[in-house]
Amino acid sequence: MNGKIPIGVSACLLGEQVRFDGGHKRFDFLCDDLAPYVDLQPICPEMAIGLPSPRPALRLIQQGNDISLVTSRDNTIDYTDKMQAFSAAKAPQLSQLSGFIVCAKSPSCGMERVSVYSPKGDSAQKLGVGLFTAQLMKTLPWLPVEENGRLNDPLLRENFIIRIFALRELNQLYASGLSKGALLAYHSRYKLLLLAHSQPEYRKIGPFVAAIDQMPIEAFFYAYRLQLMQLLAKPATRQNHTNVLQHIQGYFRRYLTATQRQALAELIDRYRLGTQPLLAPITLLKHYLAEYPDAYLSQQRYFDPYPEALRLRYGV
């Protein structure tokens, strides 16, 4: 997985002074921790449709069955058509990205729980999605999209990072030339990671991959990409991780002493109970993998789905 990962981002999260008040919402994790691994491509939809900074604040309002983007002080100043036109034109141009981080609560960029007001400006309900982000997710349904607020949650943060690295590897495979062998090898590398995210979806995607010969390779790629990213969007659970760890433990049973087997089983159980982070049993299993190599386990992305320097498994 060479090269930086192309990631779209709401420009204000990079510290760019593009917000309605002339300020920004710099996101430290993005700018400080993740930046070495990603190629950040900033977009401010509101500036892109010609609005200045500072500018009147915008809001979403409910008008019948439609959602409109207007200024907060005057509903007659309406930017809905401009934003929808920009979003519809821009979103298809972003298909090469491996993820997008948007600004929470924004009427253009928010991913969820954006306030939607009545035409009179009252009765706000947090049920909306920013117009640009709504179009982005509709046009590119496989693309990992998260917002800065949600990425403060360790589980959601790790889940997003797993997805962007997985999609980057899949996109690189596509760019290098599709083949049945390459796609099957990719899926094989991700089996244990997929199992940690959703056992029901893992059981569904397996037969689909096994039937790879039943459709043209490019059509298979697009369908597989969507299924894979929808599966990975389901955050891994402690119970699923425990099942995967116990499965991996079985590979080393014949090599370990009774004392070592007991210590490993107890460490996995302490992770299950929440008294140890995932990193603890993973580290011990990687130690045993180095000592007792196994071709199948050695290729599994489960052990290293992203750079260890991001330190994401300390909190999960």
Side-chain angles (χ1 to χ4, degrees), residues 216-234:
I217 191 69
E218 189 145 338
F220 173 85
F221 171 85
Y222 292 134
Y224 174 72
R225 177 178 61 183
L226 181 59
Q227 286 194 45
L228 176 83
M229 300 314 296
Q230 288 177 338
L231 193 167
L232 287 176
K234 300 179 182 296

Side-chain angles (χ1 to χ4, degrees), residues 93-146:
Q93 300 172 13
L94 303 175
S95 61
Q96 84 287 354
L97 297 179
S98 295
F100 208 109
I101 300 177
V102 298
C103 182
K105 302 180 181 180
S106 163
S108 58
C109 291
M111 190 185 84
E112 63 173 26
R113 295 179 57 79
V114 178
S115 295
V116 179
Y117 295 83
S118 72
K120 293 181 179 180
D122 54 7
S123 305
Q125 296 186 345
K126 295 185 177 182
L127 301 174
V129 179
L131 296 192
F132 171 75
T133 299
Q135 185 65 53
L136 178 69
M137 294 191 295
K138 178 182 177 181
T139 304
L140 310 176
W142 67 88
L143 185 70
V145 178
E146 267 296 358

